[in-house]
């Protein structure tokens, strides 16, 4: 029993419990008597906990191997390429593989793979991290899946991959000179994307994120409903299932 307790990351596990509970309560209160999504969520939570416990007692040292990480990376890239050919389209983006009872979005495991690869890369080069070559090489690792995800098109997930890389580069201890150079390059890149690459609906989503009232019935709708719900509920709320916007 002591070994069992010591193997589990209790901070990680207990931190997830309030989020899972809040999600279940929300689904239950909005269901209107239909427990379909509530039941499915319970199944996925149970499966997630089982995988968490299995990994807690597994030897994950093999993930330190460069060969293993490169293999996972290439499998992920192949899956993203395959998506562009046979992937199922959801809301205009070919982002999912459908396997009957469940679907898989390859960009999600790619995020984990990139974190592991970048952590491995930077940990082995922490002494000479100030060399600009390491920023370029690590950026190339991320650029390939970013472009493939952007072509789906899934601009949001592509942006997440870019921010993930930027955060790890900053945490690796790069010099201030290189940091400001990256910021300048990112600014130029965003300007090019804005005027020459992004579709009108993608630009609208960014504009609505800043000011949701420019498209209150479209891109800004959910943000506005959130503001109204928080304002109507005040500090203590109106009770589970009695929120003005949920009804």
């Amino acid at each position: 029993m002591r070994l069992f307790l010591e193997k589990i990351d209790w901070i990680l596990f207990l931190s997830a419990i309030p989020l899972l509970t809040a999600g279940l309560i929300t689904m239950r209160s909005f269901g209107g008597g239909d427990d379909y999504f509530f039941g499915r969520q319970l199944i996925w939570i149970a499966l997630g906990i089982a995988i968490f416990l299995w990994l807690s007692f597994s030897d994950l040292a093999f993930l330190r191997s460069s060969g293993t990480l490169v293999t996972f990376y290439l499998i992920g890239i192949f899956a993203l390429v395959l998506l562009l050919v046979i992937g199922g389209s959801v809301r205009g983006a070919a982002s999912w593989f459908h396997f009957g009872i469940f679907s898989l979005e390859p960009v999600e495991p790619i995020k984990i793979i990139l974190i592991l690869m970048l952590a491995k890369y930077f940990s082995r080069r922490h002494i000479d991290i100030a060399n600009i070559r390491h920023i370029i090489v690590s950026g190339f690792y991320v650029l390939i899946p970013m472009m493939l995800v952007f072509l789906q098109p899934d601009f949001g997930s592509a942006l997440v991959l870019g921010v993930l890389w930027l955060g790890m580069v900053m945490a690796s201890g790069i010099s201030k000179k290189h940091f400001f150079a990256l910021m300048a390059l990112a600014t130029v890149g965003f300007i090019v994307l804005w005027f020459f690459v992004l579709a009108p609906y993608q630009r609208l989503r960014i504009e609505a994120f800043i000011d949701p009232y420019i498209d209150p019935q479209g891109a800004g709708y959910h943000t506005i409903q959130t503001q109204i719900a928080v304002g109507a509920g005040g500090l203590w709320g109106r009770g589970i299932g009695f929120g003005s916007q949920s009804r």
Side-chain angles (χ1 to χ4, degrees), residues 3-4 6-9 48-64:
L3 178 63
F4 175 82
E6 291 178 349
K7 284 283 187 178
I8 297 176
D9 186 339
I49 292 176
I51 294 175
F52 173 83
L53 294 175
W54 173 61
L55 291 175
S56 296
F57 288 89
S58 300
D59 184 4
L60 302 179
F62 70 96
L63 292 176
R64 299 175 183 173

Side-chain angles (χ1 to χ4, degrees), residues 28-244:
R28 188 74 171 189
S29 63
F30 293 165
D34 183 3
D35 293 335
Y36 174 75
F37 291 106
F38 181 83
R40 282 177 62 90
Q41 188 71 356
L42 281 177
I43 293 173
W44 285 113
I45 288 175
L47 181 61
I49 292 176
I51 294 175
F52 173 83
L53 294 175
W54 173 61
L55 291 175
S56 296
F57 288 89
S58 300
D59 184 4
L60 302 179
F62 70 96
L63 292 176
R64 299 175 183 173
S65 168
S66 298
T68 300
L69 292 177
V70 170
T71 300
F72 285 156
Y73 178 79
L74 293 177
I75 292 174
I77 295 300
F78 176 74
L80 291 177
V81 172
L82 199 61
L83 264 181
L84 299 177
V85 181
I86 65 171
S89 179
V90 177
R91 296 181 181 178
S95 304
W96 298 80
F97 287 122
H98 300 291
F99 300 100
I101 62 174
F102 73 97
S103 299
L104 174 66
E105 189 177 16
V107 71
E108 297 304 325
I110 277 288
K111 294 173 185 176
I112 300 175
I113 293 170
L114 284 177
I115 289 173
L116 293 173
M117 280 199 66
L118 293 174
K120 173 78 172 181
Y121 183 86
F122 289 131
S123 66
R124 297 183 64 179
R125 295 161 178 84
H126 64 280
I127 297 177
D128 58 338
I129 193 62
N131 192 321
I132 189 66
R133 175 170 59 89
H134 299 312
I135 299 176
I136 296 174
V137 172
S138 63
F140 182 76
Y141 289 152
V142 180
L143 182 62
I144 296 175
M146 270 188 69
M147 294 299 298
L148 292 172
V149 172
F150 184 80
L151 291 174
Q152 291 175 1
D154 186 354
F155 176 66
S157 294
L159 188 62
V160 168
L161 295 180
V163 172
L164 185 154
W165 169 76
L166 182 62
M168 295 199 69
V169 166
M170 293 172 61
S172 68
I174 63 172
S175 66
K176 292 181 180 179
K177 178 180 65 176
H178 291 157
F179 171 76
F180 287 116
L182 278 177
M183 293 297 100
L185 183 62
T187 302
V188 172
F190 181 78
I191 293 173
V192 173
L193 283 174
W194 185 266
F195 288 104
F196 302 105
V197 179
L198 296 182
Y201 76 91
Q202 292 173 323
R203 292 197 296 268
L204 181 59
R205 288 180 181 177
I206 297 174
E207 291 171 345
F209 176 78
I210 299 172
D211 180 12
Y213 289 94
I214 65 173
D215 187 18
Q217 296 299 319
Y221 178 80
H222 292 292
T223 302
I224 294 173
Q225 299 310 306
T226 300
Q227 293 174 347
I228 295 174
V230 173
L235 183 61
W236 304 110
R238 293 188 172 187
I240 296 173
F242 294 97
S244 60

